[in-house]
Amino acid sequence: MGEQILDAKTYVAELMERARAAQKVAEKYTQEQVDQLAFAICYEVANSRETLESWAKLALEETRLGDYESKLSKVQSKCRQMFYDVKGVKSVGITEEIPEKGLVRISKPVGVIGSLVPSTQPEMHPMIQSVNAMKARDAIIFAPHPRSKKTSTLACADMRAILKKYGAPEDLIICIENPTVEITNELMRQCDLVIATGGQPMVRAAYSSGTPAFGVGAGNAIITVDKTADLADAAMKIKNSKTFDLAAGCSCDNEVLIEEEVYDAMLAEMKKVGGHLLNAEEKEKLQRAIWPQWPANHVINRDIVASPVENIAKLAGITVPEGTKFLMVEESQTGAATPFAGEKMTVTMAVYKFKGIDEAIRIVNENHAYSGAGHSCGIYSKDEDRILKYALGTYTTRVTINLPNALTNTGSWTSGLPFTSSLGCGTWGGNICSENISLKHYLNNTWMIREIPNFQPTDEELWSGFTPGQPI
């Protein structure tokens, strides 16, 4: 073990030396140069059918997660979205001035970032983070999941070739080709900032590394449909969210809460878009297929994850109608009482019937306390008072409103969230950040502070509007 750790230390130290040398070159780049680098990656990847197809094919072949068309469209669209987000944004030198406060912000690189890549996004994740890193004048070293290391290595090799083509050091982007736990842990110890996207053990390791870290929480998106919703619209969007890349993403719909007045009608709409409701016996078989060790633990069968309905049905020993896109099971228990209350990472969702928005909020919070705390929920409703009450009452960082959750949380053309592949979940999810990890998180800031006219208020001005001793 000692020899392995020593080898890991030496190996990572060599990578860090290369990355730091490249980063020192980038640190001297102008705004125009880093803008060109961000453009280069986004443009060259988005407009190379060969690159897009090779990434999607290898990802599917290597991981057996998701579907080809989703991976193809996902990377191409994210290239365009990422460049839209960073285009024209200042990241070099003076980036903000607040004259009335005498403040000037200067943005500087973080240095070398160590990024942990999840097996569910081995191609898209390195691309997104590389764009932010180039824009911030950072270098970045990726530690991919062993299950998807070939895909991440290919993506990084292609982006390194783009850097070389545009005259930048290739070592601004480095991928660990044969990752191990020891190497990944050593990377987290030696780099300047960790961005950990993946399972909770990985995130906890990042926070324990002694290096500043942005971690993300586990997903378990819970969607509420109330009696005022456009049911057909909600059903189609829920289907699109649930089935994109066969539920490989952390934001796909895991539970759908339906108000009792429209419960049967909504189930009928879900059936129209490819949903199939299992009976009690089939539900029990499906549970055993997804969580073979339940109730001992909630570990999901890897052969189920992001797998087609046909394969799930075969593993569970059930029969589903032709054209089925996703499976539904009725549930009334919440939290640790049932595994269906947690994240599934399959085209399977639990369906709850609720009475009144307060009950919906209770179910969301009880299930999130068990799985996916802080990540996201959504509501389909036309009642603004209910929507606000739902957003105020749920312990989440993202509440989508009449939108497909999985196609919105990481940024979309129909929402204003920053485009990303890493979702901070606040202290609810064990994270320091309660927003999408974006360009600003890849930067250090220096504040210049100048004297301004004394603005100290009088006692009358300061304490006005409040009465000492008045109970709240």
Side-chain angles (χ1 to χ4, degrees), residues 169 229 240 368 403 456:
N240 291 342
H368 272 162
L403 287 167
Q456 183 175 334

Side-chain angles (χ1 to χ4, degrees), residues 221-283:
I222 306 174
I223 309 303
T224 297
V225 181
D226 83 358
K227 60 187 177 184
T228 72
D230 181 330
L231 302 186
D233 178 67
M236 180 58 71
K237 288 176 177 175
I238 288 170
K239 187 269 289 187
N240 291 342
S241 177
K242 185 62 189 176
T243 60
F244 184 77
D245 208 16
L246 299 181
C250 59
S251 295
C252 69
D253 305 359
N254 277 276
E255 293 104 69
V256 176
L257 284 49
I258 306 172
E259 197 156 17
E260 61 178 0
E261 289 91 335
V262 294
Y263 186 79
D264 292 336
M266 184 61 189
L267 287 182
E269 293 295 337
M270 300 275 268
K271 182 178 180 180
K272 291 178 185 177
V273 297
H276 175 62
L277 184 65
L278 303 184
N279 61 34
E281 182 182 350
E282 292 169 332
K283 175 185 175 183

